[in-house]
């Protein structure tokens, strides 16, 4: 480690109070002083409007927090962070990528929508510029070379809960599955059925596919909920996020008071605040919990709460990790990185000391990581996702 990086790490340690060198800076394989390294541009792709704007805000905040804690640098290079609006369609996502590529970005990151991710795949691969996605990760992204993800593959959330519910649900219980008709839902449902047991009579009823809109109204889901509840289920498994999650749960709670299970996006961030008491008792599976007791999470969560006065979400954490892996990969390339060199270096960084716990990229370029069971419980006058236990290691 160079003298410059050692001094910067010590300053960060003093400012945060507790962390390790591995969390403070990437490995330094180049003797060129960081002060002589040229500025680089990173392109951030997030929605700037619509029902998932809050997820985009979390992704922006997570990436920026890493820069704040590392002198606005990645791999010793000063960073200019350029942002483009992904919108809600493959067409708008491609326009965002094209806009950033014209500005000669070294790498791309972000992307909330699975539809956008699928739509920009070929553009990214042909440009040979690495994209470190920090949310959307449909299983259809196979055999990619330049697309990495620091989040998850969507079927994993279903798998983690399917394994858990298979053992928890009574023999005479029944689960109603209600999901929006979009790119990600088939992944989640397939993973859930795979681990629960596709032929198990407790999940034999057909899946209810409902409106995929990200900005639903007060009655958007009523007819589909009533259709699913006509089967007299003892529990509901669902998959929603953002504004859609708020409206779905409110409309469900008017008609059903039983157990609700879902991937953790159902109760993340502003959704939990908006749901209030309607969220109580909901159990979710997610790759992150803000109350994980580790040095890396304490540093991250404390700094995030101090800056934003809110609890960090999995979206913010995955974006923070996207910055972290870019920091390490760029460091490995030396003083004048190219997108292709950074992409090769991403495969060499090994284990990541993340707020979620230790993880590493697997062959499909997604994390091998732990999944956690959480339950919404009272926290004074507010509600909180409380960590219950570990569910599985997947990826």
């Amino acid at each position: 480690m160079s003298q410059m990086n050692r001094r910067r790490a010590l300053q960060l340690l003093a400012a945060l109070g507790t962390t390790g060198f591995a969390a403070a800076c990437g490995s330094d394989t180049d003797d060129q002083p960081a002060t002589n390294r040229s500025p680089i541009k990173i392109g951030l792709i997030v929605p700037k409007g619509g029902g998932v704007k809050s997820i985009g805000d979390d992704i922006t905040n997570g990436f920026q927090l890493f820069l704040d804690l590392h002198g606005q640098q990645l791999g010793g290079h000063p960073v200019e962070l350029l942002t483009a609006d992904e919108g809600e369609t493959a067409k708008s996502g491609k326009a965002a990528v094209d806009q950033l590529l014209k500005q000669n970005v070294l790498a791309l990151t972000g992307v909330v929508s699975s539809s956008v991710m699928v739509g920009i795949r070929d553009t990214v691969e042909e440009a040979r510029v690495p994209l470190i996605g920090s949310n959307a990760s449909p299983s259809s992204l196979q055999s990619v070379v330049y697309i990495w993800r620091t989040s998850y593959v969507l079927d994993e959330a279903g798998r983690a809960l399917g394994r858990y519910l298979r053992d928890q649900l009574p023999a005479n219980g029944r689960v109603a599955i209600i999901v929006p008709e979009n790119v990600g839902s088939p992944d989640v449902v397939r993973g859930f059925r795979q681990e629960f047991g596709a032929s198990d009579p407790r999940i034999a009823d057909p899946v209810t596919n409902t409106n995929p809109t990200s900005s639903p109204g007060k009655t958007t889901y009523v007819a589909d909920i009533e259709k699913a509840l006509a089967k007299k289920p003892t529990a509901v498994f669902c998959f929603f996020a953002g504004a859609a999650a708020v409206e779905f749960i409110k409309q469900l709670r008017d008609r059903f008071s039983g157990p609700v299970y879902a991937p953790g996006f159902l109760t993340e961030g502003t959704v939990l605040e908006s749901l209030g008491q309607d969220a109580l008792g909901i159990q979710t599976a997610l790759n992150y919990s803000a109350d994980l007791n580790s040095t890396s999470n304490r540093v991250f969560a404390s700094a995030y709460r101090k800056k934003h006065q809110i609890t960090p979400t999995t979206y913010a954490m995955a974006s923070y990790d996207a910055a972290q892996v870019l920091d390490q990969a760029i460091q490995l390339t030396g003083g004048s990185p190219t997108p292709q060199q950074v992409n090769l270096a991403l495969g060499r960084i090994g284990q990541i000391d993340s707020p979620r716990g230790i993880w590493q990229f697997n062959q499909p370029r997604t994390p091998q990581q732990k999944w956690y069971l959480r339950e919404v419980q009272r926290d004074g006058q507010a509600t909180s996702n409380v960590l219950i236990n570990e569910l599985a290691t997947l990826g």
Side-chain angles (χ1 to χ4, degrees):
M1 180 183 292
S2 68
Q3 183 178 0
M4 176 65 69
N5 281 346
R6 184 177 291 109
R7 182 161 60 251
R8 184 159 65 87
L10 288 170
Q11 290 171 345
L12 180 60
L13 281 167
L16 294 176
T18 176
T19 188
F21 282 130
C25 59
S27 61
D28 189 2
T29 63
D30 185 69
D31 292 333
Q32 180 180 357
T35 53
N36 293 339
R37 295 186 178 182
S38 59
I40 58 175
K41 297 177 180 178
I42 303 296
L44 178 66
I45 306 165
V46 290
K48 296 186 177 181
V52 291
K53 178 183 180 297
S54 62
I55 298 176
D57 292 342
D58 287 351
I59 287 173
T60 301
N61 292 342
F63 199 94
Q64 185 60 58
L65 181 64
F66 187 91
L67 293 179
D68 291 346
L69 297 180
H70 293 78
Q72 305 303 316
Q73 295 184 349
L74 293 176
H77 293 259
V79 172
E80 181 180 1
L81 188 61
L82 307 175
T83 305
D85 184 4
E86 73 176 69
E88 296 184 347
T89 66
K91 183 178 179 180
S92 60
K94 185 179 184 303
V97 172
D98 289 340
Q99 173 189 334
L100 293 168
L101 291 175
K102 288 177 181 177
Q103 298 180 75
N104 298 315
V105 294
L106 181 65
L108 300 162
T109 189
V111 188
V112 169
S113 165
S114 291
S115 296
V116 169
M117 181 65 87
V118 171
I120 66 177
R121 169 190 168 150
D122 291 347
T123 301
V124 172
E125 293 287 293
E126 290 168 9
R128 300 177 66 213
V129 173
L131 164 62
I132 298 84
S134 47
N135 187 59
S137 187
S139 63
S140 57
L141 281 180
Q142 299 292 330
S143 303
V144 289
V145 176
Y146 283 87
I147 299 178
W148 308 71
R149 283 134 297 161
T150 57
S151 49
Y152 44 78
V153 178
L154 274 173
D155 68 334
E156 293 172 358
R159 289 171 59 196
L161 273 174
R163 186 177 301 183
Y164 170 72
L165 275 181
R166 177 190 63 201
D167 300 328
Q168 294 294 317
L169 197 70
N172 61 348
R174 297 183 72 85
V175 179
I177 303 174
I178 311 175
V179 296
E181 194 169 3
N182 59 24
V183 172
S185 291
D187 286 344
V188 173
V189 173
R190 185 181 64 255
F192 180 76
R193 286 186 176 280
Q194 174 185 330
E195 294 294 337
F196 194 103
S199 61
D200 193 310
R202 295 176 294 175
I203 57 170
D205 292 331
V207 176
T208 300
N209 292 294
T210 191
N211 197 313
T213 180
S214 62
S215 301
K218 301 296 183 183
T219 60
T220 297
Y221 304 114
V222 170
D224 293 316
I225 288 172
E226 291 180 346
K227 176 183 176 182
L229 296 183
K231 304 292 185 178
K232 305 296 183 184
T234 53
V236 167
F237 175 82
C238 58
F239 169 57
F240 293 89
V246 176
E247 284 303 327
F248 175 80
I249 290 299
K250 286 184 175 180
Q251 292 167 41
L252 177 67
R253 283 307 194 201
D254 285 342
R255 296 158 179 82
F256 180 75
S257 59
V260 176
Y261 303 91
F265 327 116
L266 185 74
T267 59
E268 274 292 271
T270 57
V271 175
L272 187 60
E273 299 170 14
S274 299
L275 283 175
Q277 304 306 304
D278 284 338
L280 285 174
I282 293 177
Q283 291 194 341
T284 62
L286 201 59
N287 61 344
Y288 175 66
S289 175
D291 55 358
L292 283 169
N293 186 21
S294 69
T295 298
S296 294
N297 189 50
R298 287 195 297 270
V299 169
F300 166 71
S302 176
Y304 196 91
R305 288 188 179 104
K306 182 177 181 180
K307 182 175 182 181
H308 299 289
Q309 289 76 54
I310 55 175
T311 297
T313 62
T314 189
Y315 315 118
M317 177 277 298
S319 190
Y320 180 90
D321 275 3
Q324 183 171 194
V325 299
L326 275 174
D327 179 58
Q328 296 189 26
I330 293 169
Q331 190 74 264
L332 288 171
T333 65
S336 300
T338 66
Q340 295 76 36
Q341 289 173 338
V342 172
N343 196 65
L344 286 172
L346 285 165
R348 297 165 46 206
I349 58 178
Q351 292 187 331
I352 305 299
D353 186 8
S354 165
R356 78 187 84 176
I358 300 293
W359 67 270
Q360 62 186 22
F361 284 121
N362 57 19
Q363 189 173 6
R365 288 164 160 70
T366 58
Q368 183 180 47
Q369 62 187 330
K370 291 180 179 179
W371 284 80
Y372 305 95
L373 179 68
R374 312 176 313 167
E375 181 177 301
V376 179
Q377 299 180 4
R378 293 184 186 277
D379 184 7
Q381 296 299 313
T383 54
S384 178
N385 288 300
V386 176
L387 178 65
I388 304 300
N389 55 41
E390 293 181 11
L391 288 173
T393 296
L394 302 171

